[in-house]
Amino acid sequence: VSSSIEGDVRDVRALTRVEQLPRLAKGDVDPVAAREAARLLAAPLDAEGAVRVALLENRELRARLREIGVARGQMIQAGLLPNPRAEVELLPERNSRIELRVEYDLTRAVLAPFAARAAAPELDAARTRAAAAVVSLAFRVRQGFYRLQAAEQRLAISQRELDALAAR
């Protein structure tokens, strides 16, 4: 099982039908996303552009996407075989110089594949939560954008009415 979440992020993009999500850079900010957002903000913004900027710049969304990596890591960890434990003891009172013990948790070794399969739904749930965060963010941004447009149009209409009243 791969530890990369690129496939999971592709699944989120497919679920949400969003072409571009922020890449999860190792540093604080993805420089490619920052340049893309700056490019989008340089031109007049439409609803879809606002959504793209929000998707690229939203830290909460990045955190949701990183939660996929946490769930993937937990699934991988659940499927790993346990490490053996070794103990060495010096016991002169038993007429032996050194006592060596090796323990291995056979139960965990046998159940590891089942534990990995049991953890897989949590990975699916993390993907679904990330997709829901994308859809929710896009909805909120579109809603805010259209509310702003409506408010600007109401203001323009009110301004024209005031100008007409002042002209009388």
Side-chain angles (χ1 to χ4, degrees):
V1 176
S2 171
S3 62
S4 172
I5 66 165
E6 288 302 316
D8 299 316
V9 173
R10 268 194 308 276
D11 291 344
V12 170
R13 276 198 306 266
L15 282 170
T16 60
R17 296 188 176 115
V18 169
E19 293 176 20
Q20 189 174 12
L21 289 174
R23 284 189 286 156
L24 302 175
K26 303 250 189 270
D28 291 338
V29 177
D30 178 8
V32 174
R35 282 194 302 271
E36 176 69 11
R39 184 188 67 76
L40 289 167
L41 291 171
L45 203 57
D46 62 351
E48 292 310 307
V51 167
R52 287 183 59 202
V53 169
L55 291 175
L56 290 172
E57 293 293 315
N58 190 282
R59 290 180 184 273
E60 189 176 317
L61 179 60
R62 272 195 213 120
R64 279 284 178 203
L65 292 171
R66 285 193 169 119
E67 285 175 8
I68 295 172
V70 172
R72 177 165 288 284
Q74 289 172 339
M75 184 184 79
I76 291 170
Q77 183 68 34
L80 293 177
L81 295 175
N83 290 328
R85 285 184 34 187
E87 224 174 90
V88 178
E89 230 176 310
L90 180 60
L91 300 170
E93 65 272 357
R94 292 190 184 169
N95 294 331
S96 65
R97 291 192 180 129
I98 297 177
E99 189 173 305
L100 176 65
R101 281 185 291 253
V102 177
E103 296 177 6
Y104 191 74
D105 189 350
L106 288 175
T107 305
R108 269 194 57 208
V110 169
L111 295 178
F114 300 108
R117 267 188 262 143
E122 183 56 37
L123 177 58
D124 291 337
R127 279 190 215 116
T128 303
R129 283 191 298 271
V134 169
V135 170
S136 175
L137 177 62
F139 171 77
R140 290 191 326 265
V141 169
R142 281 187 188 98
Q143 183 182 41
F145 184 86
Y146 292 129
R147 282 184 176 169
L148 174 65
Q149 272 191 333
E152 287 174 341
Q153 289 173 0
R154 281 193 308 272
L155 177 64
I157 291 169
S158 298
Q159 188 64 46
R160 280 194 305 261
E161 289 175 3
L162 282 174
D163 290 344
L165 286 174
R168 288 187 199 176

